[in-house]
């Protein structure tokens, strides 16, 4: 299963999950962006996304630059 296949299955399952708060289009777009960045990070490191360890995820989170809000405050990725 490719990373894109996995994301599509996750998104479909998330949309029908009535036990969680709905994400809406904006939330789904943000999650897709983070997922694509994760896959790119894994490809750059020659890492199979399915074999990633906690240390790989930590390195990915550190690698993402925080966004800046309109008020100029930094927000965690």
């Amino acid at each position: 299963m490719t990373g894109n296949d996995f994301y599509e299955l996750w998104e479909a399952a998330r949309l029908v999950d009535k036990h969680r708060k709905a994400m809406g289009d904006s939330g789904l777009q943000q999650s897709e962006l983070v997922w694509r960045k994760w896959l790119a990070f894994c490809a750059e490191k020659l890492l199979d996304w399915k074999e990633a360890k906690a240390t790989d995820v930590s390195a990915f989170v550190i690698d993402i630059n925080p966004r800046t809000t309109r008020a100029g405050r930094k927000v965690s990725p």
Side-chain angles (χ1 to χ4, degrees):
M1 174 181 298
T2 70
N4 290 327
D5 291 340
F6 178 82
Y7 180 82
E8 288 177 15
L9 288 172
W10 172 85
E11 183 180 54
R14 186 65 172 84
L15 286 170
V16 298
D17 187 348
K18 302 298 181 201
H19 299 289
R20 296 180 186 210
K21 181 180 174 187
M23 291 182 73
D25 288 339
S26 177
L28 290 171
Q29 287 174 355
Q30 289 176 352
S31 67
E32 183 177 9
L33 175 64
V34 171
W35 185 253
R36 288 180 188 266
K37 285 186 176 198
W38 166 246
L39 294 177
F41 176 87
C42 290
E44 181 181 300
K45 304 292 183 193
L46 303 177
L47 171 68
D48 183 338
W49 67 273
K50 295 181 294 281
E51 303 297 326
K53 308 261 187 281
T55 53
D56 300 315
V57 175
S58 294
F60 169 67
V61 171
I62 290 169
D63 194 52
I64 296 177
N65 291 325
R67 294 177 294 167
T68 304
T69 65
R70 289 183 190 162
R73 297 179 304 147
K74 290 195 173 185
V75 180
S76 72

